[in-house]
Amino acid sequence: MPWAVEGTERCRSTCGARWDPDRPPVTVIPSPQNALGGGGNGTVPEYLRGLVGPRPPASNGSHGEAFLQKWSSADPVAYPGAGTDVIGPYTARWADAVLALADALRNATEHSVTITPQPLDCACAGGESQPWSDGPTMLQFIKQVDTGGVTGPIRFTSAGARADAKYHIVNLREDGWQTVGSWDLQGRLTILPGAEVRFAGGAAEVVPSVTDLSTRHLRAVTIAAPGFVEVSDADQEGNVLTGNNRFKGFCMDLLAWMSSELGFTYELYAVADGEYGRYRDDTGAWTGMVGDVVDGVRQE
């Protein structure tokens, strides 16, 4: 998401760096021009080692084999990433999203319910957003979906979350991504026997840090991204906007909710160079939001 947070001491995190989550585990990270680049010696750059995160399985479902056959024979020009015998996990999730939508629409048709499409514009074209009138109805039919998918069974909880969500826990090491555990709704987090997780700097343990954000004040750096973060110095009536009122969008709503739930306050500012963040080999430093968080830049 296009925002990052910096606070006092070591309370810093970022969601701003762009990288390819669909890239399968490899021993060489190519393209020194992007955030995963570098490593002329065929290894992962040291500044990236230690990343830990979830990775959805790619093809454990009843449609996995059939999708793989079509994917491997598809034109990679028309479908980037196709033409190989590897399905990226997020490609598989997109396929499941289409299957879920198709099943929901079929169920609606069988119940003689008409769903009227409505053009959606995340940027709202500068105007007020208009809710989709059939959205609540469509959501109810999506929650009723129970079908096979590419990654696994497609079912949802009453809250709309994937009922059979499963993830591999991966750790970026010198020679690429290593699977170190798994997570699912039933068993929660499981670390594989004998798995060795290495964090930034090669540390085997997490350094204790402040996790209670109540009463804390944070500065959050963000970047304009239609629908997610809108930045404006005036409202539609021409009234001047200042402070946090200059920012709106999905990420801003999420940040406001987190603030309410966790009890912290915050102030926002737009990143000066307009970048998410990339590592520059010539300077040995990060640009964009990532750079602001790493360097502790504070803009007044």
Side-chain angles (χ1 to χ4, degrees), residues 66-82:
F67 183 80
L68 177 58
Q69 292 177 354
K70 293 182 178 296
W71 185 249
S72 60
S73 61
D75 181 4
V77 175
Y79 304 97

Side-chain angles (χ1 to χ4, degrees), residues 4-244:
V5 175
E6 64 176 71
T8 58
E9 302 171 333
R10 297 189 177 183
C11 185
R12 296 176 181 169
S13 64
T14 179
C15 298
R18 278 181 170 175
W19 59 305
D20 183 4
D22 231 7
R23 189 183 301 279
V26 292
T27 55
V28 178
I29 306 295
S31 182
Q33 286 74 34
N34 61 33
L36 281 184
N41 58 355
T43 61
V44 175
E46 186 174 356
Y47 59 82
L48 288 175
R49 299 174 198 169
L51 292 176
V52 179
R55 182 180 180 85
S59 55
N60 290 345
S62 58
H63 291 293
E65 184 175 346
F67 183 80
L68 177 58
Q69 292 177 354
K70 293 182 178 296
W71 185 249
S72 60
S73 61
D75 181 4
V77 175
Y79 304 97
T84 70
D85 58 356
V86 175
I87 304 174
Y90 288 90
T91 298
R93 292 276 171 170
W94 295 334
D96 280 355
V98 174
L99 290 172
L101 181 62
D103 195 68
L105 289 172
R106 183 186 62 197
N107 290 340
T109 301
E110 292 176 350
H111 286 79
S112 301
V113 174
T114 300
I115 302 293
T116 304
Q118 178 178 323
L120 301 178
D121 180 8
C122 287
C124 301
E128 294 294 329
S129 61
Q130 296 296 324
W132 182 22
S133 58
D134 288 334
T137 301
M138 189 66 211
L139 180 59
Q140 291 306 312
F141 278 104
I142 290 177
K143 289 180 179 180
Q144 297 171 23
V145 167
D146 189 349
T147 187
V150 176
T151 64
I154 304 176
R155 297 183 299 148
F156 300 94
T157 66
S158 59
R162 185 81 177 259
D164 299 284
K166 295 182 180 180
Y167 295 91
H168 298 307
I169 304 301
V170 293
N171 185 198
L172 188 57
R173 308 286 282 277
E174 180 180 2
D175 56 350
W177 291 106
Q178 303 292 325
T179 299
V180 295
S182 62
W183 182 95
D184 60 57
L185 286 172
Q186 289 73 40
R188 312 304 285 185
L189 178 64
T190 300
I191 300 298
L192 297 175
E196 185 180 42
V197 181
R198 289 292 179 181
F199 300 98
E205 297 181 358
V206 177
V207 177
S209 61
V210 177
T211 56
D212 182 7
L213 294 179
S214 61
T215 72
R216 293 173 65 84
H217 184 73
L218 307 176
R219 286 180 57 84
V221 57
T222 188
I223 188 172
F228 292 94
V229 178
E230 304 283 350
V231 185
S232 178
D233 292 322
D235 62 18
Q236 293 181 335
E237 286 72 39
N239 299 313
V240 176
L241 298 175
T242 60
N244 291 353

